[in-house]
């Protein structure tokens, strides 16, 4: 099994499935972070070289099943996985954690893209908490009047940064108390987030709700088609165990 990871779900699946002697998992990350969290079982770091590279990898390593457990915003990898699975007839399943949903006390607005999110901050100078990772900050260079507090696992490239910024290099999970303190300390007017879902980074949403801070939430990209899609690791595990040894579905309808 090849697990496309970079997520807690990917690691949890690999750890759980390697306890089952019928399975052997290889966990894969892109190598975006300086110190990726890797499991004890076999893993690899770095891109495959596009769709053809992934298809070759699947064949060369006799992969029987491909699991897309990437982050919901890792759109290129998910699309490549779908195409490579189709080319090689290797069954593809996906684990996609549910997105966050606004409650009655939340002040959310939605943006389709990061560019739209940057525009939605408005014209008047604002203090913005940016939690979209380090790779896609350039949209905010077009709105240089704002002060940005940027939190990412590793520091971003200087060339990508808007002029007025503070960088906080930190890896979740974060606590609500710490995020309340952060929002107060930096006098944050608005948060820009992707709708990543999951527990590890939801503390900022709870902190924002408590303080009445608005959030501009970037909506998720469309899903690619896979043979089966699960929202939790345990559902995926059940399916994998139930289908072991069976002819796995390669048609993609979910
Ligand atoms: P992306 O834009 O969808 O992918 C860009 C390229 O990175 C892919 O074409 C592939 O290179 C390589 N890649 C991505 N995921 C890979 C994996 N699991 N194993 C090997 N190569 C991979 O991806 P991204 O948004 O930069 O995310 C990169 C990684 O960080 C993913 O593992 C993702 O789960 C994790 N992550 C992303 C976010 C986010 O907000 N996007 C947040 C947390 C974690 P080749 O074409 O050369 O194969």
């Amino acid at each position: 099994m090849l697990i496309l990871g970079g997520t807690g779900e990917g690691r949890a699946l690999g750890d759980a499935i390697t306890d089952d002697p019928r399975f052997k998992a290889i966990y894969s990350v892109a190598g975006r972070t300086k110190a990726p969290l890797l499991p004890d079982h076999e893993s690899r770091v770095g891109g495959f070289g596009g769709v053809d590279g992934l298809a070759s990898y699947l064949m060369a390593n006799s992969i029987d099943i491909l699991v897309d457990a990437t982050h919901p915003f890792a759109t290129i990898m998910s699309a490549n996985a779908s195409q490579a699975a189709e080319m090689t007839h290797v069954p593809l399943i996906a684990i996609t954690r549910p997105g966050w949903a606004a409650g009655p006390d939340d002040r959310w607005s939605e943006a389709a893209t990061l560019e739209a999110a940057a525009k939605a901050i408005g014209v008047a100078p604002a203090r913005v908490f940016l939690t979209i990772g380090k790779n896609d900050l350039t949209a905010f260079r077009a709105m240089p009047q704002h002060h940005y507090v940027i939190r990412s696992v590793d520091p971003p490239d200087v060339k990508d940064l808007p002029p007025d910024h503070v960088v906080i290099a930190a890896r979740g999970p974060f606590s609500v108390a710490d995020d309340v303190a952060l929002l107060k300390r930096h006098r944050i007017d608005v948060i820009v987030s992707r709708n990543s879902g999951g527990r590890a980074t939801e503390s900022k949403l709870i902190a924002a709700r408590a303080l009445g801070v608005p959030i501009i939430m970037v909506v998720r990209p469309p899903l690619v088609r896979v043979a089966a899609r699960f929202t939790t690791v345990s559902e995926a595990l059940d399916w994998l165990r139930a289908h072991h040894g069976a002819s796995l579905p390669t048609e993609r309808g979910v």
Side-chain angles (χ1 to χ4, degrees), residues 5-6 28-30 32 46-50 70-71 74-77 80 194:
S28 173
V29 293
R32 290 276 184 280
F48 297 94
T70 57
H71 188 271
T75 48
I76 299 171
M77 190 70 254
N80 288 359
R194 284 173 158 154

Side-chain angles (χ1 to χ4, degrees), residues 3-7 28-30 32 44 46-51 54 69-71 73-78 80 132 135-136 194 196:
I3 302 172
L4 303 171
T7 56
S28 173
V29 293
R32 290 276 184 280
R44 61 172 300 289
F48 297 94
V51 175
L54 177 57
T70 57
H71 188 271
F73 284 82
T75 48
I76 299 171
M77 190 70 254
S78 292
N80 288 359
I132 58 162
N135 289 323
D136 300 300
R194 284 173 158 154
S196 302

Side-chain angles (χ1 to χ4, degrees), residues 71-76 78 96 111-112 194-195 218-224:
H71 188 271
F73 284 82
T75 48
I76 299 171
S78 292
T96 310
R194 284 173 158 154
N195 195 339
V218 180
V219 301
R220 289 186 169 194
L223 296 171
V224 298

Side-chain angles (χ1 to χ4, degrees), residues 97-133:
R97 66 176 86 129
W100 295 311
D105 297 328
D106 287 313
R107 297 174 59 200
W108 292 15
S109 55
E110 290 193 337
T113 61
L114 288 170
E115 288 70 21
K119 281 196 185 129
I121 299 168
V123 177
R127 299 177 66 83
V128 184
F129 184 31
L130 256 188
T131 62
I132 58 162

